[in-house]
Amino acid sequence: MHIPFTLAIAYGLAVLLNSKIKGRAFFRTIAFFPYVTAIVAVAQVWSMMFDPKAGVISQFLGLFTDNVPGWLSDTHWAMPAVIIVGMWREVGYFMILLLAGLQTIPAELYEAAKVDGANAWERFWHITVPCMRPTLFFVTVTLTITSLKILDLTLVMTNGGPGTSTLVLAQYVYRVAFERADFGYASTVSLALFFICLAVTLVQFWYNNAKEK
C-alpha cells in the first residue's frame, strides 16, 4: 500500500506543481518540509493525533460516525496509520524527484502534440509517461527499498504492536539483535531482507528494460 499510494500522490503533486499556478514555489516547500522534519518528532505528533479519545483525527471522524477506529491500539488499523504517516513524510521528497524529471521534458513536444490535436490526457499518456520512465524507475526502486527497510517510524509509533501487527523485518532484526542478543540469527534475517530488496530491484530493472525495448 505504501509504495503505490506514495508514488501516485507524489506524481500527481509533481504534475500539479509543474504547471503555472500561483504560489507554486511556496507549495513545493510545504510539500517537502515533512521530509526534513525529525522522524521522532513526526512519530510522536502523529501518535497524539491518532489517539482514539483526544486525538484530532479521531475527534474529526467522530463528527460523522460513532465507529471511530482505535488506530494505533487496533490490530487492523495500526498498519494503515503507520502507512499514512510514512506517505505524508515521504511524498514531498519523491515529488521533488519527479518534478525534476518533468522539467527535463522539452516543451516543444507538448506544443507539437497540441498542433496535432492531442488533448490533455493524450499528451500526458503519450509524452509525459514515456519521457518520465527513467525517473519513475529510479523513484520506484528507491521507494521500494525505503519501504522495505522502514524501522524508526514503527519503532517510535507502535514498537511493532499491538501484538505483531506492525512488526516489519527491519524491526524484527533490531529485536533479535539488541533485545535477544542473537546476532547470528539477526544477521541471517538481515541477509534475507537484503535478498528481498535485491530481487524486487532486479524485477524492476527487467521490467524497465523490457519497456524500453
Side-chain angles (χ1 to χ4, degrees), residues 148 169 173 185-199:
L148 287 172
L169 271 177
V173 173
Y185 184 50
S187 299
T188 303
V189 180
S190 298
L191 282 174
L193 179 59
F194 166 75
F195 282 116
I196 291 172
C197 294
L198 180 63

Side-chain angles (χ1 to χ4, degrees), residues 38-112:
I39 187 63
V40 175
V42 168
Q44 292 286 0
V45 170
W46 276 93
S47 295
M48 291 187 288
M49 292 174 63
F50 278 124
D51 187 281
K53 294 182 179 179
V56 174
I57 296 175
S58 296
Q59 289 183 353
F60 175 75
L61 292 177
L63 299 175
F64 307 97
T65 179
D66 294 329
N67 298 320
V68 178
W71 297 115
L72 301 180
S73 60
D74 190 326
T75 55
H76 299 290
W77 285 98
M79 184 59 80
V82 172
I83 291 172
I84 290 171
V85 180
M87 288 192 300
W88 174 83
R89 184 173 185 268
E90 295 167 2
V91 154
Y93 171 71
F94 293 107
M95 179 207 70
I96 294 296
L97 296 179
L98 292 168
L99 184 60
L102 286 171
Q103 292 179 344
T104 63
I105 302 175
E108 293 81 5
L109 295 177
Y110 293 106
E111 294 172 0

Side-chain angles (χ1 to χ4, degrees), residues 19-196:
S19 58
K20 295 180 179 179
I21 59 174
K22 291 183 178 180
R24 59 179 179 177
F26 171 75
F27 289 116
R28 289 174 185 174
T29 304
I30 291 298
F32 184 73
F33 181 75
Y35 187 76
V36 298
T37 307
I39 187 63
V40 175
V42 168
Q44 292 286 0
V45 170
W46 276 93
S47 295
M48 291 187 288
M49 292 174 63
F50 278 124
D51 187 281
K53 294 182 179 179
V56 174
I57 296 175
S58 296
Q59 289 183 353
F60 175 75
L61 292 177
L63 299 175
F64 307 97
T65 179
D66 294 329
N67 298 320
V68 178
W71 297 115
L72 301 180
S73 60
D74 190 326
T75 55
H76 299 290
W77 285 98
M79 184 59 80
V82 172
I83 291 172
I84 290 171
V85 180
M87 288 192 300
W88 174 83
R89 184 173 185 268
E90 295 167 2
V91 154
Y93 171 71
F94 293 107
M95 179 207 70
I96 294 296
L97 296 179
L98 292 168
L99 184 60
L102 286 171
Q103 292 179 344
T104 63
I105 302 175
E108 293 81 5
L109 295 177
Y110 293 106
E111 294 172 0
K114 284 183 180 179
V115 172
D116 290 338
N119 57 36
W121 171 251
E122 290 172 335
R123 293 195 300 270
F124 174 79
W125 188 251
H126 295 289
I127 297 177
T128 306
V129 173
C131 291
M132 284 290 291
R133 184 170 290 121
T135 306
L136 282 171
F137 169 69
F138 172 76
V139 167
T140 304
V141 170
T142 307
L143 179 56
T144 302
I145 295 173
T146 301
S147 183
L148 287 172
K149 69 180 184 65
I150 188 172
L151 168 64
D152 42 13
L153 194 60
T154 57
L155 192 64
V156 177
M157 288 188 69
T158 63
N159 196 26
T164 57
S165 58
T166 59
L167 181 61
V168 293
L169 271 177
Q171 187 175 353
Y172 183 65
V173 173
Y174 174 84
R175 282 189 177 184
V176 171
F178 298 104
E179 294 180 8
R180 289 165 42 184
D182 192 347
F183 295 100
Y185 184 50
S187 299
T188 303
V189 180
S190 298
L191 282 174
L193 179 59
F194 166 75
F195 282 116
I196 291 172

